[in-house]
Amino acid sequence: MTVSGQIEPIARMIAQLARLPGIGSKTAQRLAYFILGQPEDQVRELAAAIWQGRKAIRYCSVCGNYTTQDPCAICADPKRQSGVLCVVRDPRDVASIERMRDYRGGYHVLHGTISPMEGVGPDDIRIRELLARIQQQDVQEIILATNPDIEGEATAAYIARLLKPLGVKVTRIAHGLPIGADLEYTDEVTLAMAIECRREM
Amino acid sequence: MTVSGQIEPIARMIAQLARLPGIGSKTAQRLAYFILGQPEDQVRELAAAIWQGRKAIRYCSVCGNYTTQDPCAICADPKRQSGVLCVVRDPRDVASIERMRDYRGGYHVLHGTISPMEGVGPDDIRIRELLARIQQQDVQEIILATNPDIEGEATAAYIARLLKPLGVKVTRIAHGLPIGADLEYTDEVTLAMAIECRREM
């Protein structure tokens, strides 16, 4: 018996689940008891999906996205425009943009954003690799798609400054009101951006 | 690439995580990307805790609680009073009561409650086994600790009626205001129960 009144294998399962983000000890306990009530086959599938998934995934040596083959399916696709690169912070951002099914260029995953507060400088994220790609490939446009937060903006500004002398077109994703939003509930900074970046109709 | 813009191992991990209760597809995706960003060792531990935990756990043949040995540590403990049995719905309820560190009797896990709506009758839960234990062991008191909801109350009432003729003392856990509650925000049924079950000071 452990402190929490659980026998060891259950306590261990709860402790491991509680390490996941947003999963507190109460939720971890609920999940553990759900798992214990499931047929063995299904639990084996869950554990296998977690472990084998993690083991199968590596980084694409070109764009830095998660992949099972190198280069990844996007970098290896001849139908995608290699002259446009969308720069994002994380692999999950690639998945978000891909879900849109609209973008046909390539990616460059930074694996972080510049954050002096957390001791992350330009050399700690994949900016060097981006410069190397621009020198090797024929890149016409770099779309900076880091998040519109302090770190994301600072990172975008840093990269834009770095690339300008190389003669590459550098763009930033638009800031403004999300579709379905309400002027009344929009914060002032977003509203100011939406007005500043207004376009003619 | 799957519909959600994910490569197969990631899509599979998300699908498996989304099968957990209270985990929607957005949360599953967040968890999957967290897992992919973790060191292999830690992911192996998580998967092992889930799979080995599930594999190690069986039901105690006496009380029906989760255990790794049979009979379970509680049933096998000579220091616990075998004359008092606390009847609960799920193994997780045993853990809740054990956490209190106050109760020194045994348990009987029903693995469900009577629910005509869901087609669960008295024969579908471990009531027969409870009767058998009462006939075999020297049981003085049965504490009915099913939840204070419709099914829990119905199940408690059913068992009480069944045990009365056997001359066993049958008690029900108290209903009333939880500690720290506020009269103003307490529902009428709980309040009525708290007044009805009042005790002299």
Side-chain angles (χ1 to χ4, degrees):
Chain A
M1 282 288 160
T2 58
V3 185
S4 64
Q6 312 282 359
I7 53 175
E8 198 278 327
I10 304 182
R12 189 177 151 222
M13 200 190 290
I14 294 172
Q16 283 295 328
L17 290 168
R19 295 190 54 248
L20 295 172
I23 308 280
S25 65
K26 275 272 173 190
T27 307
Q29 196 175 314
R30 193 164 48 82
L31 293 179
Y33 276 99
F34 172 84
I35 290 168
L36 291 171
Q38 292 284 296
E40 275 200 19
D41 282 5
Q42 279 176 28
V43 178
R44 191 191 292 119
E45 270 179 48
L46 170 65
I50 291 172
W51 170 233
Q52 288 170 8
R54 173 64 185 81
K55 234 179 28 179
I57 293 297
R58 57 208 71 252
Y59 294 132
C60 171
S61 60
V62 182
C63 71
N65 190 18
Y66 286 142
T67 183
T68 49
Q69 69 211 61
D70 192 19
C72 74
I74 296 175
C75 289
D77 188 345
K79 278 179 294 185
R80 300 194 66 132
Q81 307 162 247
S82 59
V84 182
L85 292 183
C86 182
V87 176
V88 295
R89 189 184 60 182
D90 286 322
R92 81 186 75 183
D93 299 327
V94 173
S96 300
I97 296 175
E98 283 299 292
R99 240 190 322 269
M100 187 179 68
R101 292 157 164 272
D102 227 20
Y103 176 69
R104 301 301 300 159
Y107 291 96
H108 189 83
V109 182
L110 294 172
H111 288 283
T113 39
I114 298 170
S115 170
M117 294 286 283
E118 289 169 34
V120 182
D123 292 341
D124 300 319
I125 60 177
R126 297 178 71 254
I127 292 180
R128 212 180 354 235
E129 289 85 343
L130 178 63
L131 288 174
R133 283 181 81 181
I134 293 171
Q135 265 133 29
Q136 283 153 23
Q137 283 172 235
D138 180 26
V139 177
Q140 284 102 45
E141 183 177 351
I142 295 286
I143 303 171
L144 296 170
T146 50
N147 284 332
D149 53 18
I150 296 176
E151 288 86 7
E153 292 295 348
T155 307
Y158 180 88
I159 296 176
R161 218 168 27 238
L162 210 62
L163 301 189
K164 269 288 156 65
L166 304 180
V168 194
K169 183 177 171 192
V170 180
T171 57
R172 178 89 176 103
I173 49 165
H175 296 341
L177 269 71
I179 302 301
D182 194 320
L183 272 180
E184 191 180 346
Y185 299 112
T186 304
D187 65 284
E188 312 86 90
V189 183
T190 303
L191 210 50
M193 272 292 192
I195 289 173
E196 195 186 312
C197 305
R198 69 191 179 280
R199 34 173 216 169
E200 214 165 314
M201 291 191 67
Chain B
M1 281 286 160
T2 58
V3 187
S4 63
Q6 311 283 359
I7 53 175
E8 199 278 327
I10 303 181
R12 188 176 152 221
M13 198 191 290
I14 294 173
Q16 284 293 328
L17 290 168
R19 295 190 55 249
L20 297 171
I23 308 281
S25 65
K26 273 271 174 193
T27 308
Q29 193 176 317
R30 193 164 47 84
L31 294 178
Y33 276 100
F34 173 84
I35 290 168
L36 290 171
Q38 292 283 296
E40 274 201 18
D41 282 6
Q42 279 176 29
V43 178
R44 190 192 290 121
E45 269 179 49
L46 169 65
I50 290 172
W51 170 234
Q52 288 169 8
R54 173 63 185 80
K55 231 177 33 177
I57 292 296
R58 54 208 77 250
Y59 295 132
C60 171
S61 61
V62 182
C63 72
N65 190 17
Y66 286 142
T67 182
T68 48
Q69 68 211 64
D70 193 21
C72 75
I74 296 175
C75 289
D77 187 346
K79 279 179 293 185
R80 301 196 65 132
Q81 307 161 247
S82 58
V84 182
L85 292 185
C86 181
V87 176
V88 294
R89 188 185 60 181
D90 286 321
R92 82 186 74 185
D93 300 326
V94 174
S96 299
I97 297 174
E98 282 300 293
R99 235 187 328 263
M100 187 179 71
R101 293 156 166 272
D102 228 20
Y103 176 69
R104 299 302 299 161
Y107 291 95
H108 189 84
V109 182
L110 294 173
H111 287 284
T113 38
I114 299 170
S115 170
M117 293 286 282
E118 289 171 34
V120 182
D123 293 341
D124 300 318
I125 60 176
R126 298 178 71 254
I127 291 180
R128 214 182 354 242
E129 289 85 343
L130 178 63
L131 288 174
R133 284 181 80 179
I134 293 171
Q135 264 134 28
Q136 284 154 22
Q137 284 172 232
D138 181 25
V139 177
Q140 284 103 46
E141 182 177 352
I142 295 286
I143 303 170
L144 296 169
T146 50
N147 283 333
D149 53 18
I150 298 176
E151 288 87 8
E153 291 296 347
T155 307
Y158 180 90
I159 296 176
R161 215 163 37 235
L162 209 64
L163 299 188
K164 270 288 157 65
L166 304 179
V168 194
K169 181 177 172 193
V170 180
T171 56
R172 178 89 176 103
I173 49 165
H175 296 338
L177 270 69
I179 303 302
D182 194 319
L183 273 179
E184 191 180 346
Y185 299 111
T186 306
D187 65 287
E188 311 86 273
V189 184
T190 303
L191 210 51
M193 272 290 191
I195 289 173
E196 195 187 309
C197 305
R198 69 193 179 279
R199 35 175 216 167
E200 213 164 315
M201 292 193 63

